[in-house]
Amino acid sequence: MEFPFDLTPVLGDRFCVVDQHLRPAGRPGPTHRGDLQQQLRTVIDELGKASAKAQGLPAPVTSAARMESNRHVLYILRDPGGAAHRPPRGAVIGFLKVGYKKLFLLDRTGVHVESEPLCVLDFYIHESLQRHGHGRALFQHMLQSERVDPRRLAIDRPSQKLLGFLRKHYGLDDPIPQVNNFVIFEGFFSNRPAPPRRPPPKRPEEQIKPYSLSERDFLREEAEPPWPFNLRPAGGSPVRGTLRPFVRRDGRTEPPAGQTDAPPPPRRASSLGR
């Protein structure tokens, strides 16, 4: 696309990046700054009209006025010109407009996810220069400048040509259907953090079990028998007590209550044996 003025001070050499401030690529003096900015506005408006016509849209989605009111970025690819069979003032090959938007998107399971991805909002290569690698060069320059993976892009109302372009050059052939006219592809949610796992429910507290049964028996204090078994009669009759020896602090054992260390009395000889 040619213009009646020299594009070099307006767009620079090959790639020109324009934001909402609409700054020309050249470094003009104060008397020429207004003229160059007006020429840049003309370039943007004409590119937007050509893109809308190619896509069959009723009105352009790209214009200088829209650029000033939105935080979008415009990547413009131009032919520097000057060589044989090229216009001496240069010509515009195409443009690509991107910007961040807050969207509610659906994943594969149908869950709504709030996201703010980089979106491709408008993409146009002049009809006479398509299928020459210009679109790939422009798109790749944008990816490198924005440092974004093509799978993480959201595409606004892509045409069949654009879908074929993404499938051919970036392998994006598995779109996830959306209801807001945007298209995303498999891998868009690949870097999303996994949902936090809920901790398992706490088990009811149980009685702490001892290390071993023998240690438990050794450490447990012997309970005194209830009345009247804790009384020792005057006649010295045996009382109910523990059957296990008592271990003293020095390690020696004592017999159970009601027992002594004296050896049993000798057995009396039977009268029948005499």
Side-chain angles (χ1 to χ4, degrees), residues 180-212:
N180 54 6
N181 296 322
F182 279 82
V183 171
I184 60 176
F185 295 90
E186 190 67 32
F188 182 87
F189 298 106
S190 59
N191 295 333
R192 186 179 60 176
R197 297 180 58 184
R198 295 182 179 180
K202 292 184 178 180
R203 300 175 58 184
E205 295 184 359
E206 300 178 356
Q207 184 179 2
I208 300 177
K209 297 181 179 181
Y211 181 75
S212 67

Side-chain angles (χ1 to χ4, degrees), residues 260-269:
T260 63
D261 292 337
R267 296 179 59 182
R268 181 176 299 177

Side-chain angles (χ1 to χ4, degrees), residues 17-97:
V17 182
V18 181
D19 58 12
Q20 64 185 116
H21 300 290
L22 302 183
R23 294 190 181 96
R27 297 291 184 268
T31 57
H32 301 89
R33 186 180 302 272
D35 295 339
L36 288 179
Q37 189 176 53
Q38 183 57 45
Q39 292 174 356
L40 179 60
R41 297 176 68 92
T42 300
V43 170
I44 296 174
D45 289 342
E46 293 301 320
L47 289 175
K49 293 177 183 178
S51 176
K53 182 180 179 180
Q55 299 180 61
L57 302 177
V61 296
T62 299
S63 65
R66 285 176 175 267
M67 289 292 299
E68 288 178 318
S69 59
N70 295 280
R71 300 183 63 179
H72 297 160
V73 178
L74 202 65
Y75 290 85
I76 301 177
L77 175 63
R78 66 178 292 260
D79 184 354
H85 308 292
R86 292 182 179 181
R89 297 179 177 179
V92 177
I93 297 175
F95 75 95
L96 173 62
K97 184 174 72 171

